Amino acid sequence: MPIAPDATTAALHATARELVADRRGILAADESIATMSARLEKAGVTPTGTGRRDYRELLVTTPDLHEGVSGVILCDETLRQRLADGRPFPRALRDLGLLPGIKVDTGTTHLPGTAGELVTEGLDGLPARLAEYAELGARFAKWRAVIRIGEATPSPWALAANAHALARYASACQAAGIVPVVEPEVLMDGAHPLSRCASATTDALTALFDALRDARVDLRGTVLKPNMVVPGDGSPQRCPPAAVARATVDVLGAVLPDGLAGVAFLSGGQAPETATAHLAAMQEIDTPWPLTFSFGRALVSPALLEWRGAPDRVAAAQATLARLVRRNAAVLRGSGAPLQTA
Ligand code: 5MM
């Protein structure tokens, strides 16, 4: 049973559907200041607040971005910044036909009692922050748990702790009228085979959906942002896109309850063409939820390299991003409607 009042519930459902429908995906541009600064420096751009703002402005003002992207996830810094023309980012996004989103976790920390496993933080004061983000125009939010495959990991305790945090975050979002995008990312790091990623992803999703049920999170107002089921990046195993698609959909099909608004995959460090090939192969399989993309690096990395901070390369960088967005949107299946409409 939904915990929010009716009008809010209907609005949550509508926003969640809009995020995953109409052959569009979500652009993840929510790198923390530290991550974004490191990526800018690597591309030869001075990592100042202005540099980060200019880069995000380049991304969101890419011509016709709304044709393949429904919403953009920003970080706290960008949500409070303004475009060069003076418009705050959330308003500019709305003007451009894009839903404003916000990353609300505050990063990961070591989880005591584990062999180096991580738990994501940010629950303290979250309801007040969400109220402010809603006031600033955020319509959806994102929280990422980071799960590493190792000899003895992921441990049940790390999965439970991360699932508990994701569920508390998701229910706080819905109480604030914001759609939660729940991201339990099983990293690609390692030499493990695809089967190991499948079992770790199954365990992570099982813990997550148990916690979401216990927290009475409304799944029709929720989007899942999972990893694809792939071999580790150091594994000699080579899997064709059809095998990745089959394994990924099988894992999701075994765990996901009815009614979820949709699934928007992260790219996790896959090359852009690989992530797109996997997404395309998944569209060949019938699923009860719309499957789309919520890529970060697989959409923006080539554009950042093209730009390198030069004003006269903004148009070329935007063309690079637009090409990748079009390519991913083009592989999406036509039906964006969730099956459960009651
Ligand atoms: C864009 O990067 C997001 C934020 O990362 P940090 O907080 O670590 O700086 C990240 O959560 C991202 O949304 C997901 O990992 C998906 O991005 P990729 O590049 O894996 O598609």
Side-chain angles (χ1 to χ4, degrees), residues 26-36 39 56 73 75 103 105-108 142-146 183 185 187 225-226 264-270 275 293-301:
I26 303 167
L27 172 60
D30 60 306
E31 297 90 343
S32 57
I33 290 177
T35 303
M36 193 66 251
R39 289 184 185 162
R56 264 63 178 256
I73 316 172
C75 67
K103 184 251 297 294
D105 67 67
T106 56
T108 57
K142 195 205 78 176
W143 177 292
R144 171 173 169 252
V146 177
E183 181 181 5
E185 178 177 7
L187 297 177
K225 176 166 174 169
F265 289 99
L266 60 90
S267 56
Q270 299 178 75
F293 58 90
S294 176
F295 298 160
R297 286 163 289 175
L299 284 178
V300 301
S301 298

Side-chain angles (χ1 to χ4, degrees), residues 1-6 9 13 216-218:
M1 188 204 295
I3 52 171
D6 283 352
T9 302
H13 293 174
R216 300 171 72 210
V217 169
D218 180 357

Side-chain angles (χ1 to χ4, degrees), residues 11-322:
L12 279 174
H13 293 174
T15 301
R17 274 199 304 273
E18 187 178 342
L19 280 170
V20 295
D22 299 333
R23 296 176 192 253
R24 299 197 295 173
I26 303 167
L27 172 60
D30 60 306
E31 297 90 343
S32 57
I33 290 177
T35 303
M36 193 66 251
S37 297
R39 289 184 185 162
L40 287 178
E41 260 188 309
K42 208 166 160 205
V45 184
T46 311
T48 59
T50 307
R52 291 188 292 273
R53 189 202 66 87
D54 290 349
Y55 170 63
R56 264 63 178 256
E57 176 162 348
L58 176 162
L59 297 180
V60 306
T61 59
T62 292
D64 300 325
L65 188 65
H66 68 281
E67 288 179 4
V69 163
S70 56
V72 182
I73 316 172
L74 303 173
C75 67
D76 180 273
E77 179 185 54
T78 316
L79 195 80
R80 299 174 191 281
Q81 289 178 321
R82 291 172 184 268
L83 271 62
D85 66 12
R87 280 177 302 166
F89 267 80
R91 201 178 102 210
L93 287 181
R94 279 200 311 277
D95 293 348
L96 292 161
L98 301 160
L99 291 169
I102 175 76
K103 184 251 297 294
V104 301
D105 67 67
T106 56
T108 57
T109 189
H110 170 62
L111 181 63
T114 67
E117 292 185 274
L118 300 171
V119 67
T120 302
E121 296 196 312
L123 291 172
D124 286 352
L126 182 59
R129 284 198 291 131
L130 288 168
E132 189 197 2
Y133 289 143
E135 191 69 31
L136 289 170
R139 301 281 303 282
F140 70 103
K142 195 205 78 176
W143 177 292
R144 171 173 169 252
V146 177
I147 295 146
R148 192 180 293 274
I149 294 178
E151 251 176 53
T153 68
S155 66
W157 167 233
L159 293 177
N162 277 293
H164 181 262
L166 275 161
R168 282 195 59 196
Y169 137 81
S171 84
C173 282
Q174 292 186 338
I178 289 179
V179 169
V181 174
V182 290
E183 181 181 5
E185 178 177 7
V186 177
L187 297 177
M188 275 194 341
D189 305 7
H192 51 268
L194 175 137
S195 57
R196 188 86 168 78
C197 180
S199 61
T201 304
T202 300
D203 292 345
L205 292 175
T206 302
L208 171 61
F209 282 96
D210 284 352
L212 292 176
R213 183 201 56 229
D214 291 347
R216 300 171 72 210
V217 169
D218 180 357
L219 295 180
R220 291 176 65 200
T222 302
V223 173
L224 173 68
K225 176 166 174 169
N227 52 284
M228 299 178 190
V229 174
V230 292
D233 55 8
S235 167
Q237 188 182 19
R238 295 287 166 264
C239 295
V244 168
R246 185 75 263 168
T248 305
V249 172
D250 283 352
V251 165
L252 297 180
V255 179
L256 270 45
D258 290 342
L260 187 70
V263 175
F265 289 99
L266 60 90
S267 56
Q270 299 178 75
E273 57 278 11
T274 309
T276 306
H278 290 159
L279 185 67
M282 278 186 256
Q283 307 296 319
E284 302 297 317
I285 305 172
D286 271 342
T287 60
W289 347 267
L291 299 182
T292 186
F293 58 90
S294 176
F295 298 160
R297 286 163 289 175
L299 284 178
V300 301
S301 298
L304 176 55
L305 290 178
E306 181 84 48
W307 175 52
R308 281 172 285 136
D312 63 350
R313 284 199 290 265
V314 167
Q318 290 182 326
T320 300
L321 172 60

